[in-house]
Amino acid sequence: MKILSFIKLVSALGAFSTLLFAQSSLAAETPTIASFSMCAYKSGKGPVDLNKAVSYWQTQMEKVFPDGSNYFAVIMTPVLGSTNSDFIWGGFSPNLNEWAEGGEAYMSSKAGQSANASFEAIADCSVPNSHFMTTLYEGAEAVRTDDNGIVEVFSCKLHEGKTRDNVLA
């Protein structure tokens, strides 16, 4: 699925989520939302094209959110493990409200649509998997940097009869 299509889906889901939670204050109090989409380069495209698309996306984000945004994005390149993707787009928002509002602002702007077109030209991406994110252990203070790093991600399924509360206990 193309990035533009999946961001439209994310925006639609975000709008639905906002409506779903509109009658309570829960939306602002949800954990961080993390969304991941697996992407494969189109024929003849590669990391140099991705770097150009990312640079362009960054300039467009400044147009959509001139006062800044609480959205945090990363590109992850698989180095170990089994995957059919060339890179993974990871996006993070502090809560459902900001996720929905930011997605709507981005998708309704010409700058956001233009940025999506730059990604659509180089890669096909899956529909994002969106999750609430909970910090379980914070041993060191987070450092914001432009340096590269390694992230290890596990995908787990709860045993029958277990809930998220069991994980957090």
Side-chain angles (χ1 to χ4, degrees), residues 27 36-37 46 49 54 57 83 85 93 98 103 107 109-110 118 130:
F36 300 96
S37 191
D49 303 294
V54 167
W57 177 83
T83 182
S85 63
S93 293
E98 291 193 39
M107 286 310 304
S109 71
K110 288 183 181 181
S118 70
S130 297

Side-chain angles (χ1 to χ4, degrees), residues 10 20 30 37 44 62 81 98 111 114 123 142 147 156 158 165 169:
V10 168
L20 187 64
T30 64
S37 191
E62 291 171 4
E98 291 193 39
S114 178
D147 293 338
C156 304
L158 291 173
D165 288 337

Side-chain angles (χ1 to χ4, degrees), residues 35-59:
S35 296
F36 300 96
S37 191
M38 311 298 239
C39 301
Y41 292 121
K42 291 185 176 182
S43 180
K45 301 298 181 182
V48 170
D49 303 294
L50 176 60
N51 289 339
K52 289 177 186 175
V54 167
S55 292
Y56 183 69
W57 177 83
Q58 290 168 326
T59 64

Side-chain angles (χ1 to χ4, degrees), residues 28-165:
E29 297 171 10
T30 64
T32 297
I33 290 244
S35 296
F36 300 96
S37 191
M38 311 298 239
C39 301
Y41 292 121
K42 291 185 176 182
S43 180
K45 301 298 181 182
V48 170
D49 303 294
L50 176 60
N51 289 339
K52 289 177 186 175
V54 167
S55 292
Y56 183 69
W57 177 83
Q58 290 168 326
T59 64
Q60 299 311 295
M61 285 293 284
E62 291 171 4
K63 292 177 183 176
V64 178
F65 303 104
D67 297 328
S69 169
N70 284 329
Y71 183 73
F72 176 78
V74 297
I75 295 286
M76 296 179 283
T77 306
V79 290
L80 273 176
S82 176
T83 182
N84 295 327
S85 63
D86 294 311
F87 67 93
I88 301 165
W89 178 277
F92 305 85
S93 293
N95 57 55
L96 280 175
N97 280 340
E98 291 193 39
W99 180 68
E101 291 167 7
E104 175 59 29
Y106 182 79
M107 286 310 304
S108 65
S109 71
K110 288 183 181 181
Q113 294 167 15
S114 178
N116 280 343
S118 70
F119 282 105
E120 288 178 358
I122 65 156
D124 291 315
C125 296
S126 66
V127 173
N129 291 305
S130 297
H131 310 271
F132 286 127
M133 190 171 85
T134 302
T135 301
L136 300 178
Y137 176 75
E138 196 170 335
E141 186 176 328
V143 177
R144 292 194 72 145
T145 177
D146 289 334
D147 293 338
N148 293 324
I150 293 181
V151 175
E152 190 172 30
V153 178
F154 296 90
S155 180
C156 304
K157 183 177 178 181
L158 291 173
H159 291 290
E160 188 174 328
K162 299 298 179 182
T163 68
R164 188 169 180 262
D165 288 337

